Amino acid sequence: MTHYKMSDSVPSMMVLSKNPQTSSIDEIKLYDNKNYYLNNKQEFQLRFFNPLTEVIGVQITINGKTTGSYLVLKPGEDVIIDRFLDDKRKMIFETYEYDAS
């Protein structure tokens, strides 16, 4: 799978998830250039690409919580992760409800 970002000259990231209709792993659409929408209990993956000629470190922030570890990407490296760096749990989007009273 090739994405327009994967041919850019700057490092990029995309969110992937399994398509329930085809069982393939597809890119999740980005809305307003900043928001992804997932279903409750939907597993997702993160794909990173480093087109630079130098090694870079990626620190991931999800819902305002930043990981303590860095993902190191060598020049030209394309990596997909399906688990958190600091925790051996799959990445699953979860919604919740709370009682405001």
Side-chain angles (χ1 to χ4, degrees):
M1 173 176 62
T2 302
H3 181 273
Y4 69 93
K5 287 183 183 179
M6 294 295 145
S7 62
D8 284 350
S9 58
V10 295
S12 60
M13 186 278 307
M14 72 173 72
V15 179
L16 307 171
S17 185
K18 188 174 186 178
N19 183 328
Q21 296 170 339
T22 64
S23 294
S24 64
I25 303 294
D26 295 333
E27 179 183 359
I28 295 176
K29 185 177 178 182
L30 177 64
Y31 292 90
D32 302 327
N33 222 13
K34 62 180 179 176
N35 293 309
Y36 293 95
Y37 294 98
L38 299 140
N39 295 318
N40 190 33
K41 305 291 184 193
Q42 184 175 357
E43 289 185 19
F44 63 95
Q45 301 172 352
L46 301 177
R47 182 178 181 185
F48 298 92
F49 177 62
N50 178 14
L52 305 176
T53 57
E54 61 234 11
V55 175
I56 62 170
V58 176
Q59 193 169 31
I60 302 168
T61 301
I62 297 177
N63 293 334
K65 185 176 179 185
T66 303
T67 61
S69 301
Y70 283 83
L71 178 64
V72 177
L73 297 177
K74 296 177 183 173
E77 193 166 19
D78 185 359
V79 174
I80 297 174
I81 61 171
D82 66 348
R83 298 180 185 276
F84 291 98
L85 298 176
D86 297 334
D87 193 358
K88 294 184 180 183
R89 294 181 301 124
K90 289 236 181 208
M91 289 187 256
I92 300 174
F93 179 77
E94 294 178 313
T95 60
Y96 60 91
E97 296 179 20
Y98 69 95
D99 185 359
S101 61

